[in-house]
Amino acid sequence: MATAELEASSLEAEVMEQPLKLHRFSVADYYRMAEVGILKSSERVELLDGVICNMSPIGPAHASVVDRLNRILNRNLPDADAIIRIQNPTTLNESSEPQPDLIVAKYRQDYYAKAHPEPDDLLLVIEVADATLIKDLKIKLPLYAEAGVQELWVVDINGQAILQFRNPTEKTYAVKNQFKPGETVEIILPGGAKTIVPVNDILGLS
Amino acid sequence: MASATLEKSEKTAREVNLPEVETRRFRVDEYYLMAEVGILKSSDRVELLDGVISNMSPIGPAHASVVRRLAELFYASVSQKASIGIQTPIHLNDYSEPEPDLVIAQPRADFYADHHPGTDEIYLLIEVADTTLAKDLNVKVPLYAASSVREVWVVDLPGQKVLQFRNPDKNAYTDVKTLKSGDEIELELSGIEKMRFAVNQILGIS
């Protein structure tokens, strides 16, 4: 279980390099744009720190990993403890509403019909990355950490590894682990339910 | 006739600012609709640069005084032969409506009552930069060049110089001059005798 070597994303340095002050939109603005027809329902977008971002089209490798994870999580996590959400929103705060590839959310009888899951509801967030590894690590990871999302996985398809992040601090995660083919990753739910997932099963390796 | 050392920017406004994500580009009509429905408020000082809604910095007194000096110089030299706009919008294309510090454009009897000046009508744009030099040089100048704006001046306040850009070719100007204290900047507008402005007068140096 080697520790992943990742550059701590220095957002302050990023800001200095950015000559433009992007106008930030709120979640309310974002929904209003959809209401008045500025954002169309066919658009695949998400709101990240006030910036409306296009989501990349999903290639087959990416889609297959999402489907594998979906199956593994649904089969192994008790119904009463968790809801598995696929590519649907989570409202992190007033300016961020990403749509992660998978979310394991606390069970709610209404399945979040009234409001999207919020950081306290999120047991695990999983982003699958092929073309989007840098975006996931540099842009989305700090947002999840800042919102207090307890655990994040980034599935690095090209690097054939599962990157696991725990213990959110202000803009990053204090605990970083990397799991390679042949190894296993553990999910422990608050209720105590535990499941052990082989990396090979996630990546589709024999 | 030194040429300024500039980053030749091949990138769009979006790419310069946030290279890792593709931000949703907004069109001029969407931008106006946002203002109509209150997503953008009249108190928001924003401009639309290549589909990116960008906040404009507050204008300090040094910046404002140079705008006033330039206005007075132009009213004295071109009044009636050209239209002078101070911090009013121009329309470059479907995705860009910047608000340059000064726009010198073809005169119109209606003073552009029914449309903002377009690239064919613009003689000269002037940006005054104190805190915004990176934005002006790396985002706005390439944008103006890409839209074939004939001539741009950037008054670099901290550097105490005026950069004169002519001959737009794709994303850059091929004829770039740096004028300093003691120099004169020449301006040729069709139908008007060649004008010379003392850089000292622009910068307020005696």
Side-chain angles (χ1 to χ4, degrees):
Chain A
M1 237 167 21
T3 311
E5 237 116 350
L6 289 163
E7 285 165 39
S9 163
S10 170
L11 279 181
E12 283 75 12
E14 297 250 329
V15 167
M16 296 292 268
E17 283 164 8
Q18 291 170 4
L20 291 181
K21 295 195 177 91
L22 301 189
H23 183 82
R24 307 279 163 166
F25 295 106
S26 64
V27 170
D29 291 334
Y30 180 56
Y31 276 83
R32 188 88 176 103
M33 283 191 219
E35 239 174 85
V36 302
I38 293 173
L39 292 177
K40 320 260 177 298
S41 54
S42 56
E43 293 189 51
R44 291 175 31 81
V45 289
E46 52 189 347
L47 182 68
L48 304 178
D49 200 21
V51 180
I52 300 174
C53 300
N54 291 330
M55 295 197 290
S56 315
I58 298 179
H62 183 142
S64 71
V65 170
V66 173
D67 289 351
R68 285 178 188 283
L69 276 162
N70 189 9
R71 187 144 206 263
I72 292 166
L73 295 171
N74 271 299
R75 287 177 102 195
N76 291 301
L77 297 176
D79 289 347
D81 292 348
I83 292 172
I84 312 304
R85 174 171 270 227
I86 309 293
Q87 283 153 359
N88 268 334
T90 161
T91 311
L92 295 183
N93 53 45
E94 271 181 13
S95 35
S96 290
E97 202 176 270
Q99 292 186 204
D101 286 301
L102 290 105
I103 292 174
V104 178
K106 284 182 189 162
Y107 178 77
R108 270 182 66 105
Q109 201 180 32
D110 74 346
Y111 270 67
Y112 297 96
K114 300 241 169 47
H116 294 313
E118 292 173 12
D120 286 345
D121 302 315
L122 307 179
L123 302 173
L124 170 62
V125 169
I126 307 179
E127 294 283 10
V128 176
D130 44 16
T132 59
L133 186 64
I134 296 177
K135 171 183 175 177
D136 289 325
L137 295 178
K138 276 187 106 176
I139 307 286
K140 296 181 100 175
L141 182 151
L143 295 182
Y144 291 136
E146 202 173 8
V149 171
Q150 288 304 307
E151 183 163 343
L152 169 70
W153 293 5
V154 177
V155 180
D156 176 4
I157 293 185
N158 295 321
Q160 299 272 278
I162 315 292
L163 307 173
Q164 179 194 51
F165 303 92
R166 281 181 171 156
N167 284 31
T169 65
E170 219 184 86
K171 295 247 193 248
T172 186
Y173 284 88
V175 174
K176 302 169 189 180
N177 294 313
Q178 185 175 245
F179 299 93
K180 307 229 83 170
E183 295 174 340
T184 58
V185 204
E186 208 171 58
I187 303 174
I188 306 170
L189 296 186
K194 198 198 294 199
T195 191
I196 295 172
V197 187
V199 170
N200 287 23
D201 289 358
I202 297 173
L203 295 176
L205 306 167
S206 22
Chain B
M1 217 158 54
S3 40
T5 359
L6 291 172
E7 262 175 55
K8 270 231 171 134
S9 180
E10 293 296 320
K11 301 178 182 168
T12 65
R14 292 178 302 151
E15 288 162 355
V16 166
N17 224 60
L18 273 176
E20 301 90 1
V21 295
E22 196 192 294
T23 62
R24 172 31 167 104
R25 250 175 133 207
F26 293 106
R27 289 192 320 262
V28 170
D29 60 290
E30 294 172 332
Y31 177 59
Y32 277 84
L33 183 49
M34 285 189 217
E36 234 177 280
V37 302
I39 293 170
L40 291 175
K41 304 179 196 7
S42 52
S43 55
D44 288 323
R45 289 176 31 82
V46 290
E47 54 188 341
L48 184 66
L49 304 175
D50 194 26
V52 177
I53 299 175
S54 167
N55 286 336
M56 296 194 288
S57 309
I59 294 179
H63 182 144
S65 72
V66 171
V67 173
R68 289 195 188 91
R69 287 176 186 281
L70 283 161
E72 197 170 284
L73 285 171
F74 277 93
Y75 282 118
S77 355
V78 309
S79 189
Q80 254 125 61
K81 298 188 191 141
S83 155
I84 299 168
I86 313 288
Q87 282 152 5
T88 51
I90 55 171
H91 182 92
L92 295 184
N93 55 48
D94 282 345
Y95 290 92
S96 293
E97 223 181 66
E99 290 186 18
D101 284 302
L102 282 103
V103 47
I104 314 300
Q106 272 168 28
R108 272 183 70 101
D110 73 345
F111 285 74
Y112 293 95
D114 64 351
H115 72 279
H116 295 309
T119 53
D120 290 343
E121 297 162 308
I122 296 169
Y123 295 145
L124 168 66
L125 296 179
I126 306 180
E127 297 284 7
V128 178
D130 50 17
T131 58
T132 60
L133 193 62
K135 171 182 177 176
D136 290 323
L137 295 182
N138 297 333
V139 181
K140 294 184 112 178
V141 167
L143 184 64
Y144 294 149
S147 309
S148 304
V149 169
R150 286 169 238 188
E151 184 165 346
V152 179
W153 297 359
V154 175
V155 181
D156 171 2
L157 280 187
Q160 292 280 282
K161 45 189 156 123
V162 181
L163 303 167
Q164 181 182 35
F165 300 90
R166 287 183 294 192
N167 259 44
D169 180 16
K170 300 199 201 94
N171 275 12
Y173 287 90
T174 58
D175 176 3
V176 183
K177 289 188 178 68
T178 304
L179 292 319
K180 300 196 189 65
S181 165
D183 293 340
E184 277 190 332
I185 184 165
E186 283 181 3
L187 180 63
E188 294 193 57
L189 298 183
S190 58
I192 310 176
E193 246 176 58
K194 192 191 281 202
M195 291 163 275
R196 284 183 185 80
F197 298 96
V199 171
N200 284 9
Q201 257 194 302
I202 296 172
L203 295 176
I205 305 170
S206 14

